[in-house]
Amino acid sequence: MKERQVLVTKKLRVKMFGGFSVSYGDEALTFGRQRDPKFGQLFQILMTKPGQGFGKGEIMDFLYDREEVEEPNASLNNTIFRLRKYLAASPLPPGDYLILNEGVLRFDGKIQVESDVWNFECAVQEFEKEQEQSKKVEICQKAFALYQGEFLPQLSNEQWVIEKSRNYEELYFKVVNYLLHYLKEEGDYRNIEIVSARAAELYPYEGWESWQIESLIALGKHEEAEKVYQETAAYVQQTGGFLSKDQQIRFRRLGDRIRQPEGTTEDIGRCLMEPEMKEGAYNCTLPGFSDCFRMLKRTIAREGLICFSLLLCTILDAAGRPAKDREYCKAQGKKLCASFEAYLRRGDIYAKYSENQYLLLCIGVKKEDAADIGMRIDIDYRKRCGGRGGISYRLLDDGSMW
């Protein structure tokens, strides 16, 4: 009996989500080794919609948008010629793959082409048209699996890539949102965890962590939920808070729901105590700072024996005004925190309130001594900045104002 022969059809596979790679069968096409990056970009543009036509004017806008090119049409013709030459020498079977007809260029030929971005876009279009829920979810899952990261990240400064990347990102967010809401209706928290964790990995601190935390709580994974919550809270605090107002409200409600499983005395001690007892003031998140301040006010209202000073420190720019530049505030904030740790005591706490503002709670410090603390911090901070910049500080409360 003759053995059946299985016909395997090779495909041109193009990957542009999360990186760029091209292969035909087992052989790779290495566009990155060429001297002229434009003909590689031309191939990438055509691969966003293989088989579909692109007007030469549209391609010229993509390739030469920010460049001063004397004859863009001639430059494009030369780029098309170079790409044809490269494809002829590539592992692809002989053929004319670049079809130019009446000013419209498309990639075509007698081979199958599999482009992840085109498959993703087609899947989203199908998802948006489909009315039957089970099929809609199936298509949604397919689109979710196809999206493996940012579109052509190595070309993230190219305008055409920026625009397409933004569009793909919006489509991805739409897919993830639909999928998560469907899974929640089904009570499928295991898959909610998988989907939200993947989305959070690709786009951290866009709100997917809230879904992840909620699913972990529902699954009884309290320690993992606590870890994600603390990491997200710390990041949001450090960056000035990128979550929307609705996301912040939902995030805090989730924090209230996090509960540890029953633990021993040692477990509880490890949870409550600092892992490492450092010198200097204690740095905490704004919610933690708020809890400490409220508890202190309650204690004073009952006992009336504790004095404190609540200070607001604001990072200033070179002109002596509150700094607005995010990157500048981020860099200077690290220096200011170092000054807090050098000049505040272990019983004091501080937290970042906004991009350029920090709160200090100095326990046992009277109102008349607060200015001296602020001045010493300012002097140390200026030294760390090489004499440039500075901070402003003012007393917000000494126990009698709020």
Side-chain angles (χ1 to χ4, degrees), residues 150-159 161-162:
E150 181 186 353
F151 173 66
L152 294 177
Q154 72 278 12
L155 295 177
S156 58
N157 58 343
E158 294 285 344
Q159 187 59 36
V161 174
I162 293 171

Side-chain angles (χ1 to χ4, degrees), residues 42-43 46-47 49-56 59 76-77 79-81 83-85 87 94-111 113:
L42 173 59
F43 177 80
L46 295 175
M47 286 300 102
K49 296 182 180 181
Q52 308 297 305
F54 291 82
K56 288 182 72 177
I59 297 173
L76 177 56
N77 288 337
T79 301
I80 293 171
F81 171 78
L83 181 55
R84 275 203 178 105
K85 187 177 178 181
L87 294 174
D96 187 7
Y97 295 101
L98 300 183
I99 311 300
L100 181 60
N101 184 25
E102 296 183 352
V104 176
L105 181 68
R106 75 179 190 277
F107 185 95
D108 210 343
K110 296 180 180 180
I111 60 171
V113 181

Side-chain angles (χ1 to χ4, degrees), residues 41 72 91 104 151 170 173 192-193 213 239-240 243 259 261 333 352 354 359 382:
Q41 289 189 43
V104 176
F151 173 66
E170 289 176 359
F173 280 24
I192 288 177
E193 180 194 355
I213 294 165
T239 55
L243 298 181
R259 299 289 183 271
K352 185 174 182 178
S354 68
L359 292 170
R382 287 175 183 271

